């Protein structure tokens, strides 16, 4: 009996101590009772109480894993309370163990079937786990059982939100707010619904009048969402760029306030929002065109090991592309594209970004392949909910247009033309396709055809940025200077940060600069009867900046010399004149002074060219002391006057033929008639290498041969040639090419029979920043003169500068 009393007293004492531990846990000190429960033998009459308490206290301590572990261990062996099952269900929901959470809530509902709270918990887990049909049915039944319970209505709204039916959720919560305007949970849910529906500003305005409705964490998130909404507005198409800038500036102002307010905080939830705001701020900076700042902030984030989400990586890829770092941009676009689902809108958008990054990084062939693959991944039609028939896909049309554009970038202009014309046959009202086709016509050397195509687009979208830009570029090709300037001013005023608008403005600026041209040659090993031995020469001309757009005045000087059997000949020239350039016409007139050892002589030249169409051009020139007068003739005080007539037929960028006829009258009574036919045909094209087949034929008839200079009575030349061009390097306006020419033909001269002609030439050309171009080359020619074979080795150079 004494032992039994002692045992009973110990049990009472232990229960009292346990109750003290529970009261401590309720006050917030959960560690002692948790340690006690972990070490206690769970058995006997108190086992169920211990397990129920353990689940509750571990939940108070935020230990979801421990709650789940205890529940998994003991729930199969004992009947736990409805409350313990519900607490375990919440912990399992936090751990995203949906099936276990559903089982726990169902046990709680079986124990207390009248409890709406447990049924609401069950509905939440169904919605969270993607069982939308079950969740929606259960929520509707629960609400129908008691339509006057606000929590049941909020449960229905939660189901809609989980399924991303944000406006349905907002409609339900709005009805709840109308019934219970003072209910805190309803007010909080209404603000959440506004936030989810993309209306964070409205939610934030309500939060200011209901300070207790949202927690500090929720309020910080809502303020961040308000800034993010402004960023989204900054990326939407508007009438002018200025409107987008207002939204971006407003977002930047919001973020500045938030970052200032939250600076220095060590609270984890605050730091999380600071990180989120810094990431979203990247979008505002890029929308505002402050790309360097965006790049600096992004690099600061990555240096701090912040994981930047894909939506921000897209912004930054665009920023790197904008500041002309396409290699970085292509890596970022490829990264996000690898995580996209093929055939979806995000994949198409990211592929489009990668397309431009590849093209601008000089990988135009890869860009064209990517565009073709993207277009192939998309279906031409979509099925619309509620419609029995499929409708054309805008995404597919855009991808097809870009695939055609890729062919143009890769210099496959005939294929680009073919594709765009086929697309326009399907969608004749698509203004973007018309604009793209106009661009391809320009690339094919058809500016007038492009002009007509772009005119058609004006009736569809007269203020389209793409249309105006293409019209501006085309106006420059057509020498419509005033029109180009007007279009450039308008596009730059409306979209000052647009790169293509800046590009057009740059080309207009370059067009209005002065120009210096210098060319020269040096005979490295030559004994030509035409140019002499040790021959060399330089020609320089300086054009003024345009005067009243069409006029330029110019001045220049030239010098040439060479050795002949009768002595060294030289020719020094000074010239001045005016150049008039307008649509379809170009006229140049000059007076010149010539000195070749017999005092100064006055020369005159008048040259005119008229474009009848994209295909036909005619020209003519009158010269007193012709620039084609042989140096050896000048050495003997013989000058020549000439008339030149020319015609050119250019079928496209792939085919061209030109014919010129030049009768010359020499001051010694001699005369010469020359005719030259030049043609080229593209035979091979890749993005970096192309080859042309060229043919040069010439016929000459001279009246007298008893003269010192070379003047065959009749001669005929035909030289087929292959011209190869290789793009070594390209970065935007900077380009470096090498060219190789290989030719073999026949020269036939009356009285001396026929002989072969061999030609090889190699040159390199560079173009820099639109204002500098230079070439340097060397050529070797083997050919007969009066039956004697000569080898001519010559170096050439030319420079063009605008300033």
């Amino acid at each position: 009996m004494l032992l039994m009393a002692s045992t009973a007293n110990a049990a009472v004492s232990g229960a009292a101590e346990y109750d003290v531990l529970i009261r401590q846990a309720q006050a917030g000190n959960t560690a002692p009772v948790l340690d006690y429960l972990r070490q206690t033998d769970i058995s006997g009459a108190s086992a169920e109480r211990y397990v129920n308490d353990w689940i509750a206290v571990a939940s108070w301590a935020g230990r979801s894993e421990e709650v789940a572990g205890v529940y998994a261990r003991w729930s199969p062996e004992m009947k736990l309370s409805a409350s313990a099952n519900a607490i375990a269900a919440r912990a399992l929901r936090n751990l995203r163990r949906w099936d276990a959470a559903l089982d726990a809530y169902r046990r709680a509902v079986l124990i207390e079937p009248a409890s709406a709270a447990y049924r609401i918990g069950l509905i939440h887990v169904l919605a969270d786990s993607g069982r939308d049909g079950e969740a929606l049915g259960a929520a509707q039944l629960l609400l129908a059982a008691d339509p006057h319970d606000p929590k049941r209505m909020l449960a229905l709204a939660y189901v809609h939100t989980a399924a991303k039916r944000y406006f349905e959720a907002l409609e339900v919560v709005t009805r709840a707010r109308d019934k219970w305007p003072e209910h805190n949970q309803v007010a909080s849910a209404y603000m959440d619904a506004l936030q989810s529906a993309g209306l964070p500003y409205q939610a934030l305005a309500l939060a200011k009048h209901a300070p207790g409705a949202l927690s500090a964490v929720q309020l910080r998130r809502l303020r961040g969402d308000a800034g993010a909404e402004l960023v989204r507005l900054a990326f939407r198409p508007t009438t002018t760029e200025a409107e987008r800038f207002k939204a971006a500036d407003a977002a930047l102002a919001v973020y500045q306030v938030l970052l200032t307010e939250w600076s220095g905080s060590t609270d984890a939830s605050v730091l999380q929002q600071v990180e989120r705001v810094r990431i979203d701020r990247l979008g505002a900076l890029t929308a505002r065109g402050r790309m360097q700042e965006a790049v600096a902030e992004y690099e600061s984030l990555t240096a701090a090991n912040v994981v930047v989400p894909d939506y921000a990586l897209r912004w930054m890829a665009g920023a790197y592309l904008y500041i002309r770092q396409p290699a970085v941009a292509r890596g970022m676009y490829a990264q996000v594209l690898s995580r996209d689902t093929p055939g979806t809108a995000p994949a198409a958008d990211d592929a489009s970004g990668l397309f431009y990054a590849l093209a601008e990084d000089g990988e135009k062939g890869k860009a064209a392949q990517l565009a073709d693959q993207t277009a192939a991944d998309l279906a031409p039609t979509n099925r619309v909910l509620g419609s029995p028939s499929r409708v054309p896909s805008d995404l597919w049309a855009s991808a097809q247009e870009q695939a055609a554009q890729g062919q143009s970038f890769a210099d496959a202009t005939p294929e680009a033309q073919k594709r765009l014309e086929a697309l326009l046959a399907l969608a004749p009202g698509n203004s973007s396709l018309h604009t793209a086709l106009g661009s391809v016509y320009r690339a094919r050397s058809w500016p007038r055809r492009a002009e007509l195509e772009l005119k058609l687009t004006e009736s569809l979208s007269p203020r389209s940025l793409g249309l105006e830009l293409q019209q501006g570029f085309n106006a420059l090709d057509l020498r419509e200077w005033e029109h180009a300037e007007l279009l450039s001013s308008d596009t730059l005023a409306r979209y000052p940060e647009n790169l293509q608008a800046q590009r057009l403005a740059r080309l207009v600026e370059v067009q209005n600069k002065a120009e210096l041209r210098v060319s020269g040659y040096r005979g490295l090993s030559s004994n030509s009867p035409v140019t002499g031995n040790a021959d060399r020469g330089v020609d320089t001309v300086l054009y003024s900046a345009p005067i009243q757009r069409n006029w330029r005045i110019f001045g220049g000087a030239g010098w040439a010399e060479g050795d002949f059997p009768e002595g060294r000949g030289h020719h020094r020239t000074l010239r001045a004149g005016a150049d008039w350039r307008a649509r379809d016409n170009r006229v140049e007139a000059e007076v010149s002074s010539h000195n070749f050892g017999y005092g100064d002589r006055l020369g005159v030249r008048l040259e005119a060219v008229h474009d009848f169409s994209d295909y036909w051009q005619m020209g003519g020139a009158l010269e007193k002391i012709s620039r084609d007068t042989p140096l050896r003739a000048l050495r003997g005080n013989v000058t020549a006057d000439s008339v030149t007539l020319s015609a050119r037929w250019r079928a496209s960028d792939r085919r061209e033929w030109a014919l010129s006829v030049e009768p010359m009258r020499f001051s010694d009574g001699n005369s010469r008639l020359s005719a030259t036919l030049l043609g080229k045909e593209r035979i091979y094209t890749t993005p970096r290498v192309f080859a042309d087949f060229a043919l040069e034929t010439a016929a000459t008839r001279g009246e007298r041969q008893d003269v010192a200079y070379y003047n065959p009575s009749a001669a005929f030349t035909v030289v087929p040639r292959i011209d190869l061009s290789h793009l070594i390097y390209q970065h935007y306006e900077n380009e470096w090419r090498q060219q190789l020419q290989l030719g073999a033909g026949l020269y036939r001269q009356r009285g001396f029979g026929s002989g072969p002609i061999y030609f090889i030439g190699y040159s390199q050309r560079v173009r820099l920043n639109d204002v500098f171009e230079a070439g340097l080359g060397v050529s070797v020619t083997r050919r007969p003169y009066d039956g004697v074979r000569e080898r001519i080795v010559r170096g050439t150079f030319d420079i063009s500068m605008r300033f």
Side-chain angles (χ1 to χ4, degrees), residues 669-690:
N670 193 14
S671 64
R672 176 190 296 175
L673 178 63
S674 302
T676 303
L677 178 66
L678 301 173
K680 75 167 186 176
E681 179 88 23
R682 179 66 55 84
I683 57 175
Y684 178 75
T685 302
T686 68
R688 287 188 171 271
V689 178
F690 66 80

Side-chain angles (χ1 to χ4, degrees), residues 125-287:
V125 176
L126 286 169
D128 290 342
S129 62
R131 296 170 169 87
D132 179 53
E134 291 181 64
L136 186 60
Q140 290 170 337
L141 285 174
L142 185 65
L143 180 60
D146 185 359
H148 303 292
D149 183 355
K151 293 182 180 179
R152 299 184 185 215
M153 191 170 284
L154 295 184
L156 177 59
Y158 185 89
V159 173
H160 285 309
T161 300
K164 298 184 179 180
R165 295 187 293 269
Y166 299 124
F167 288 99
E168 286 88 340
L170 179 59
E171 188 271 334
V172 172
V173 178
T174 301
R175 285 194 284 117
R177 184 170 179 261
D178 291 340
K179 288 185 177 183
W180 302 285
E182 304 299 326
H183 194 288
N184 281 341
Q185 281 185 294
V186 170
S188 177
Y190 182 64
M191 284 181 270
D192 283 342
L194 287 170
Q195 188 176 3
S196 298
L199 301 169
Y201 263 94
Q202 289 83 342
L204 192 58
L206 289 174
K208 292 178 181 178
H209 299 290
L214 297 179
S215 67
V217 173
Q218 288 175 311
L219 185 58
R220 280 193 292 269
R221 187 172 66 249
L222 181 57
R223 293 173 72 186
D225 282 352
E229 174 63 17
L230 287 170
V231 174
R232 285 191 290 272
L233 288 173
F235 282 100
R236 289 177 183 170
T238 56
T239 304
T240 65
E241 195 84 344
E243 293 180 19
R244 292 179 54 225
F245 286 172
K246 288 180 183 178
D249 287 338
L252 290 170
V254 167
Y255 289 146
Q256 183 61 45
V257 170
L258 295 181
L259 291 174
T260 301
E261 183 180 325
W262 297 339
S263 65
S265 175
T266 57
D267 186 298
S269 65
V270 175
L271 294 177
Q272 183 180 18
Q273 284 302 309
V274 167
E275 184 178 293
R276 180 256 179 117
V277 163
R278 289 182 66 190
I279 291 171
D280 288 350
R281 184 172 175 269
L282 297 175
L285 289 171
T286 55

Side-chain angles (χ1 to χ4, degrees), residues 45-119:
S46 299
E48 287 188 9
R49 180 192 178 190
Y50 283 152
V51 172
N52 282 306
D53 288 347
W54 195 348
I55 288 173
V57 174
S59 173
W60 299 343
R63 295 178 173 273
S64 295
E65 284 286 2
E66 187 167 354
V67 171
V70 172
Y71 184 77
R73 168 68 182 83
W74 297 105
S75 62
E77 298 182 11
M78 61 182 65
K79 185 177 180 181
L80 299 179
S81 67
S83 173
N85 278 284
I87 292 171
R90 286 194 293 271
L92 291 164
R93 178 188 174 198
N94 291 340
L95 297 171
R96 305 177 70 84
R97 299 175 188 172
W98 310 122
D99 290 339
L102 287 172
D103 181 68
Y105 266 127
R106 285 175 178 137
R107 291 189 185 191
V109 169
L110 284 174
I111 297 169
E112 295 185 19
S115 172
Y118 298 157
R119 292 183 180 275

Side-chain angles (χ1 to χ4, degrees), residues 623 626 628 642-645 660-664 672-676:
E623 285 189 90
S626 171
D628 293 330
S642 68
V643 176
T644 305
L645 296 175
S660 64
V661 178
E662 183 184 36
M664 298 181 67
R672 176 190 296 175
L673 178 63
S674 302
T676 303

Side-chain angles (χ1 to χ4, degrees), residues 5 15-16 25 28 36 44 52 68 135-136 396-397 430 467 580 584 607 688 694 699 796:
Y36 176 86
N52 282 306
L136 186 60
W396 177 86
N430 189 315
L467 169 64
W580 181 74
D584 298 336
E607 182 178 351
R688 287 188 171 271
T796 59

Side-chain angles (χ1 to χ4, degrees), residues 418-667:
K418 176 183 175 182
R419 293 190 186 189
L420 287 171
E421 289 175 342
L423 288 171
L424 273 170
L426 298 174
N430 189 315
S431 61
S432 179
L433 290 174
H434 282 288
T435 302
L437 184 58
S439 175
V440 170
Y441 285 160
R442 281 187 57 237
R444 301 223 63 193
S445 303
W446 300 329
R448 291 160 189 81
R449 190 171 178 180
E451 182 181 43
L452 291 174
E453 189 67 32
L454 296 173
K455 276 292 182 184
L456 292 173
T457 316
E458 282 187 2
S459 61
L460 300 171
S461 52
R463 295 284 284 164
S464 163
L465 174 64
L467 169 64
E468 286 198 21
L469 288 170
Q470 286 303 321
Q471 287 180 320
F473 293 130
N474 203 59
L476 288 174
D477 292 345
L478 290 169
R479 298 194 289 269
E480 294 272 7
W481 313 124
E482 183 177 8
H483 192 202
E485 289 176 10
L486 290 173
L487 288 166
S488 176
S489 297
D490 182 63
T491 53
L492 197 62
R494 292 167 57 206
Y495 298 91
E497 301 303 312
N498 183 274
L499 290 177
Q500 285 295 92
Q502 294 175 14
R503 178 67 184 148
L504 178 57
R506 169 62 175 170
L507 292 179
V508 170
E509 176 192 1
V510 170
Q511 171 56 39
N512 289 321
K513 291 178 178 290
E515 182 180 10
L516 173 66
R517 298 177 187 173
V518 181
S519 61
Y521 65 91
R522 176 72 165 89
L524 305 175
S525 174
S526 174
N527 194 24
S528 166
V530 178
T531 59
N533 196 23
D535 53 313
R536 53 189 175 180
V538 174
D539 184 69
T540 302
V541 60
L542 175 63
Y543 290 90
S544 71
I547 301 169
Q548 294 183 344
R549 296 189 179 89
N550 298 103
W551 289 93
R552 296 190 300 176
I553 58 174
F554 65 87
W559 161 70
E561 63 180 14
D563 289 333
F564 301 99
E566 58 271 24
R568 189 159 186 81
H570 67 269
H571 182 200
R572 297 180 179 88
T573 61
L574 295 173
R575 54 181 167 138
D579 176 53
W580 181 74
R581 300 167 304 155
R583 181 185 175 111
D584 298 336
N585 296 292
R586 181 176 62 82
V587 178
E588 191 167 281
E590 73 174 32
V591 294
S592 53
S593 172
H594 301 259
N595 187 303
F596 39 85
Y598 302 93
D600 293 326
R601 306 284 182 89
L602 181 66
V604 179
R605 180 175 65 89
L606 178 64
E607 182 178 351
V609 176
H610 176 70
D611 295 323
F612 290 93
S613 66
D614 286 335
Y615 306 103
W616 284 102
Q617 181 188 86
M618 299 287 289
L622 299 172
E623 285 189 90
K624 178 177 175 58
I625 308 185
S626 171
R627 61 182 63 186
D628 293 330
T629 304
L631 181 60
R632 193 170 185 179
L634 295 174
R635 168 68 181 78
N637 196 24
V638 175
T639 62
D641 302 332
S642 68
V643 176
T644 305
L645 296 175
S646 63
R648 186 200 67 195
W649 176 71
R650 181 173 58 194
S652 67
D653 56 327
R654 295 297 201 264
R655 181 180 301 158
E656 181 178 338
W657 289 89
L659 172 67
S660 64
V661 178
E662 183 184 36
M664 298 181 67
R665 173 63 66 178
F666 292 85
S667 60

